[in-house]
Amino acid sequence: MQLRYSFRVYPNSPQRATLARTFGCARMVWNDALRICKDAYKADVPRPKAGDLSKRVVTEAKRTEERAWLSEVSAVVLQQSLRDLEAAYSNFFASKNGTRRGAKMGPPKFKKKTSRQAVRFTTNARFSITADRKLRLPKIGDVEVRWSRELPSAPSSVTVIKDAADRYFASFVVEAEDKPLPELDLDDTETGIDLGLSTYAVLRGRKITSPKFFRRQEKKLRRAQRTLSRARKGSANRRKAKLAVAKIHAKIADQRRDFIEQETTRITRESQAVYLEDLNVKGMGTRNSNRVKSVHDQSLGMFARTLAAKCHRYGRTFAKVSRWFPSTQLCSACGSIEGPKGQEGLKIRHWVCSCGMAHDRNENAELNLRREGRRIVAEGRPDT
């Protein structure tokens, strides 16, 4: 399977300038090629093929005075930008025809100069890792890398990213083998996971409290945004204020990502089978405007994707339980559906069934999810 390994890189001042030119050239080639494709669509003629686009927006463009600066960057980066455009069109048409799974995709759009920039170097660009552990990029030079772990294999590509907080990262794509963990006793280590807002997740025998990274930084973020809104547009103070806001957001994102990685790793190591409820995360934020911040702060979608990927890699059973399954309303003792319902029911954390059984809302849901997940796996449809 393919994995991404990201590391912080520290280009020097000349390398930053070269990377800025590379970002701009890749963006310009994308926009020039997209403009040609859109003009062809308006003229009701076939969209130019990849070879024709490469000839027009790269090879011939370099010979013109307006685009002569394209020769200052690696040609592989420019060709990769065109391949990305072709992939974007392919995904759009596949989504339109119904042959692509997932959310609907729109047509490619023109790229603007934003705070986040990225370019990809493939093996054709002959990037390499030097003997002194630096990343050698064509026409950029040897960039210092902070290595936090070893790559499992030789990378097939590397994406250099500049984020809004003015940090640089190198994201390597590598081939990695699955690493099954030792099997555990299923009866004692299978668990359902009930996700929520007041408590991040309830598992068999323990609860994960909500870290609320955004809420803890909200006051500081509000002050930084107020300073940004008062700064004059185009001024140096506004650029500084914008960077301060971006750094706060970056810190929140890093904390959240680290939390999810640690918790999902722990769950994978402790559980032989994991049954997760398939929440409609987007719907959770739109139904109640008062919960939008909390929904985004939890990042439950990232948690679910990361957990599923780790279970697959480490040989754990993973199953999704339908979002329509009434895990919180179903009595785990008698099977009747008498639990709290609707928006008002969200405030009720404990309830008593007519059979006399007293329930903790989340613990009852976890037990129901565990039973339903076990049934789904027995029927051979773990991805439903």
Side-chain angles (χ1 to χ4, degrees), residues 65-355:
E65 186 177 351
E66 294 80 6
R67 296 287 188 270
W69 33 264
L70 291 176
S71 302
E72 299 177 4
V73 304
S74 172
V76 174
V77 172
L78 307 182
Q79 296 296 336
Q80 186 61 49
S81 186
L82 295 178
R83 282 193 286 270
D84 291 341
L85 179 61
E86 282 294 314
Y89 266 114
S90 298
N91 290 335
F92 165 62
F93 289 124
S95 178
K96 190 174 182 180
N97 297 333
T99 57
R100 184 181 186 275
R101 298 180 62 183
K104 292 291 184 180
M105 292 194 64
K109 297 181 180 179
F110 290 107
K111 291 185 177 181
K112 299 179 181 179
K113 184 179 180 180
T114 61
S115 300
R116 186 187 185 279
Q117 303 286 325
V119 289
R120 183 147 33 114
F121 296 85
T122 60
T123 51
N124 294 333
R126 296 182 180 178
F127 71 89
S128 62
I129 299 171
T130 63
D132 55 350
R133 306 289 288 164
K134 291 185 177 181
L135 175 61
R136 179 167 294 170
L137 298 173
K139 295 195 175 183
I140 295 175
D142 296 349
V143 183
E144 183 181 350
V145 184
R146 179 177 293 177
W147 299 99
S148 57
R149 51 183 173 171
E150 294 295 326
L151 294 175
S153 62
S156 59
S157 70
V158 59
T159 302
V160 180
I161 304 166
K162 175 183 175 294
D163 69 1
D166 203 26
R167 303 178 302 177
Y168 290 81
F169 296 89
S171 179
F172 297 91
V173 175
V174 297
E175 285 288 341
E177 297 180 355
D178 294 342
K179 297 181 178 180
L181 294 172
E183 289 193 13
L184 304 173
D185 183 10
L186 180 62
D187 293 336
D188 296 330
T189 59
E190 65 174 353
T191 181
I193 301 181
D194 178 56
L195 301 174
L197 300 181
S198 58
T199 301
Y200 191 91
V202 176
L203 292 82
R204 183 179 184 177
R206 74 181 182 96
K207 295 182 180 181
I208 302 175
T209 58
S210 297
K212 299 181 180 179
F213 296 117
F214 178 82
R215 294 290 187 179
R216 289 190 292 184
Q217 296 287 332
E218 193 171 12
K219 186 176 180 180
K220 184 178 181 180
L221 181 61
R222 189 183 299 116
R223 288 198 300 265
Q225 289 175 328
R226 188 181 301 122
T227 302
L228 173 62
S229 65
R230 291 173 178 173
R232 181 170 54 85
K233 291 186 178 180
S235 66
N237 284 337
R238 185 175 180 86
R239 288 194 295 272
K240 294 177 183 177
K242 186 177 181 181
L243 182 60
V245 172
K247 287 183 176 180
I248 297 174
H249 280 296
K251 180 179 180 180
I252 295 171
D254 290 345
Q255 290 176 329
R256 184 184 295 126
R257 191 180 303 109
D258 183 63
F259 166 79
I260 290 175
E261 289 290 341
Q262 291 190 32
E263 289 296 340
T264 52
T265 298
R266 180 180 175 183
I267 293 171
T268 306
R269 288 174 177 172
E270 295 178 347
S271 308
Q272 181 61 36
V274 178
Y275 312 122
L276 182 71
E277 61 176 334
D278 185 20
L279 286 178
N280 180 15
V281 179
K282 292 183 179 179
M284 290 174 63
T286 57
R287 286 198 303 265
N288 189 336
S289 59
N290 296 327
R291 297 190 297 161
V292 171
K293 288 183 180 179
S294 297
V295 171
H296 287 289
D297 199 10
Q298 300 289 70
S299 194
L300 299 177
M302 180 188 293
F303 176 87
R305 292 190 299 272
T306 305
L307 181 60
K310 289 186 178 181
C311 287
H312 175 73
R313 187 185 184 197
Y314 296 115
R316 299 310 198 200
T317 302
F318 179 83
K320 286 184 179 180
V321 178
S322 171
R323 67 185 61 170
W324 307 114
F325 177 71
S327 59
T328 58
Q329 303 168 15
L330 182 67
C331 175
S332 57
C334 68
S336 62
I337 302 179
E338 300 181 13
K341 302 178 179 65
Q343 294 294 325
E344 292 298 324
L346 295 174
K347 302 176 183 178
I348 302 174
R349 311 315 301 175
H350 298 84
W351 59 282
V352 179
C353 180
S354 60
C355 68

